[in-house]
Amino acid sequence: MRKKLIAGNWKSNLAKSNAIQLAEAILEQGILVDFELAIFPPEIFIDSILEVVKSTVKVGAQNCSQYTEGAFTGETTALQLASAGVQMALAGHSERRHLFAETNEVVKLKIDKVLSAGLTPVFCCGEALETRKANEQNNWVEQQLEESLFHLTQADFSKVIIAYEPIWAIGTGVVATPKEAEEMHEFIRKKIAAKYDAATAESTRILYGGSVKADNAKALFSCPNIDGALVGGASLKANEFLAIANAAK
Ligand code: PGA
């Protein structure tokens, strides 16, 4: 049985005091029985947020370097994140892909670094609107899986969480219908089964991301292949974020 994971990606929002308040509010109100919570705060606040949430809520990084260590000004490595107590890291978020030119190859390198530092990678994939209009979304996502993830051994792959985030749904208020999301999640699971095996596919958590809100979460979470959500805008308010989490019960 896959436990649902509700993850909040705070992106480049919030000043330090607001970030701490938000973490405190999540901790106060969240009763984590049937699901897991994770937050991805701005990297500079990770230490402070870890002090607030301790181990109750998982804390992840929104990005990490593709390099191991050394002269890479401004980069934070997976090993540094691990040494700071971070447990997860996003890799391949569409904003990183588009605004910072991260290719499937770069995402692959990041996945490798995240895994070798002992962190859990949350691999983001998903197609643009033109790709969906051309009905090419399955091929697109399959290529992302093949080029960034499917080089992994079964043992390493089993540590990966996948987030399907259609780009046309991110920050737009246009959520994928439960049918659209479920079809893609089922497709991804079938590809994992074909590459690895049925048990690996069955145990992989596949989150949906893109305009998830309290009022659309329940319908998404009731789909058999949707194992939680990666939430952007709606994760910036504790009430809304926890209402989404409660829809996973
Ligand atoms: P959104 O962002 O919930 O604001 O659409 C999701 C994401 O980018 O992970």
Side-chain angles (χ1 to χ4, degrees):
M1 185 64 186
R2 300 180 298 266
K3 199 167 199 179
K4 287 204 169 44
L5 171 66
I6 315 303
N9 174 10
W10 296 358
K11 308 193 180 183
S12 301
N13 295 297
L14 306 171
K16 184 172 180 178
S17 56
N18 308 119
I20 290 173
Q21 274 166 19
L22 178 54
E24 285 170 348
I26 290 170
L27 196 68
E28 265 167 37
Q29 299 168 41
I31 303 161
L32 315 177
V33 184
D34 305 302
F35 50 82
E36 281 176 13
L37 286 181
I39 49 178
F40 294 79
E43 197 175 290
I44 192 165
F45 306 143
I46 279 177
D47 255 356
S48 316
I49 300 292
L50 273 166
E51 266 178 41
V52 173
V53 301
K54 306 273 187 303
S55 57
T56 322
V57 176
K58 294 211 163 60
V59 175
Q62 297 171 20
N63 184 29
C64 93
S65 177
Q66 75 222 60
Y67 302 106
T68 308
E69 65 175 346
F72 303 104
T73 302
E75 291 283 281
T76 305
T77 69
L79 288 168
Q80 290 172 320
L81 292 169
S83 73
V86 167
Q87 294 142 302
M88 298 179 156
L90 301 183
H93 190 281
S94 70
E95 285 149 20
R96 301 289 324 165
R97 292 175 186 269
H98 290 101
L99 300 170
F100 303 98
E102 289 186 7
T103 60
N104 287 345
E105 177 61 24
V106 168
V107 176
K108 174 187 179 188
L109 296 171
K110 292 187 177 205
I111 291 277
D112 288 344
K113 292 291 177 284
V114 170
L115 281 167
S116 59
L119 307 180
T120 301
V122 179
F123 169 76
C124 306
C125 57
E127 80 289 350
L129 188 57
E130 313 82 76
T131 309
R132 181 159 280 264
K133 279 186 177 157
N135 200 26
E136 281 294 317
Q137 66 274 12
N138 287 8
N139 290 339
W140 181 268
V141 169
E142 183 173 0
Q143 193 173 352
Q144 290 182 317
L145 294 169
E146 273 174 4
E147 294 183 3
S148 302
L149 278 191
F150 281 177
H151 65 290
L152 297 174
T153 61
Q154 189 276 339
D156 272 344
F157 184 87
S158 65
K159 297 170 189 153
V160 175
I161 295 171
I162 295 176
Y164 168 58
E165 300 205 297
I167 298 166
W168 44 271
I170 296 179
T172 58
V174 183
V175 63
T177 63
K179 183 172 177 288
E180 286 168 331
E182 170 61 19
E183 275 170 7
M184 179 58 82
H185 285 226
E186 190 185 5
F187 173 76
I188 293 171
R189 208 175 294 288
K190 281 192 177 142
K191 289 290 149 194
I192 299 167
K195 170 70 193 173
Y196 296 97
D197 52 46
T200 308
E202 202 41 46
S203 58
T204 303
R205 288 196 282 186
I206 308 175
L207 316 181
Y208 167 80
S211 296
V212 176
K213 306 267 184 296
D215 61 7
N216 58 33
K218 190 126 207 129
L220 289 162
F221 296 161
S222 62
C223 298
N225 286 292
I226 299 183
D227 306 314
L230 182 54
V231 186
S235 72
L236 297 172
K237 292 206 172 84
N239 287 348
E240 178 81 7
F241 184 57
L242 292 166
I244 293 169
N246 281 318
K249 275 186 185 165

